[in-house]
Amino acid sequence: MREVTQPATEAIRLAEVLRALADPVRLEIVQRLDRTGQENCTALGGEIDVHQTTLSHHYRVLREAGVTWTTVQGRSRLVRLRRNDLDALFPGLLDSVLAGRMREIATTSAIETP
């Protein structure tokens, strides 16, 4: 099994973080990780309706942007948010993005409700 590459805290760049968070599927992954703390890739992916290879791509983009941290344990990969790193580098960014996502979900739900 090959090792995963992830940037050191000082190598995380705002443009890459924003690019990673701009995708709705990746934003959903981040939202779930924010709630759960840490998840197995397989368990988290079971709740998102995309093909496994597409999901792997999204995990890679988040990891390489510095949004998540992946730990390999045997055949499992555990993923968690790098909240402390992101909050130290870009104070309030993650909270603002997640709050915006919640507002978007609430607005969509209100529009769809008869």
Side-chain angles (χ1 to χ4, degrees):
M1 180 178 291
R2 69 181 188 161
E3 283 297 312
V4 294
T5 57
Q6 21 207 14
T9 303
E10 58 275 1
I12 297 173
R13 300 291 174 251
L14 180 60
E16 293 302 312
V17 171
L18 292 174
R19 184 180 66 80
L21 294 174
D23 184 274
V25 173
R26 291 193 290 266
L27 192 51
E28 185 176 349
I29 292 169
V30 169
Q31 184 179 21
R32 289 171 190 261
L33 288 172
D34 188 56
R35 282 194 318 263
T36 63
Q38 178 172 283
E39 290 279 342
N40 182 302
C41 284
T42 308
L44 187 62
E47 299 179 19
I48 299 173
D49 188 28
V50 294
H51 193 275
Q52 182 59 43
T53 56
T54 303
L55 195 56
S56 294
H57 164 75
H58 289 304
Y59 283 130
R60 182 179 53 80
V61 170
L62 288 168
R63 185 183 70 247
E64 290 178 354
V67 176
T68 61
W69 188 265
T70 302
T71 305
V72 178
Q73 291 184 346
R75 295 180 58 100
S76 297
R77 290 175 185 238
L78 300 174
V79 179
R80 63 182 164 85
L81 268 183
R82 293 180 72 170
R83 181 173 266 288
N84 291 341
D85 292 339
L86 294 173
D87 286 346
L89 292 168
F90 316 112
L93 174 70
L94 196 53
D95 288 332
S96 294
V97 169
L98 292 172
R101 170 75 174 144
M102 293 305 293
R103 280 191 303 275
E104 183 180 277
I105 290 170
T107 302
T108 303
S109 296
I111 292 170
E112 293 175 357
T113 303

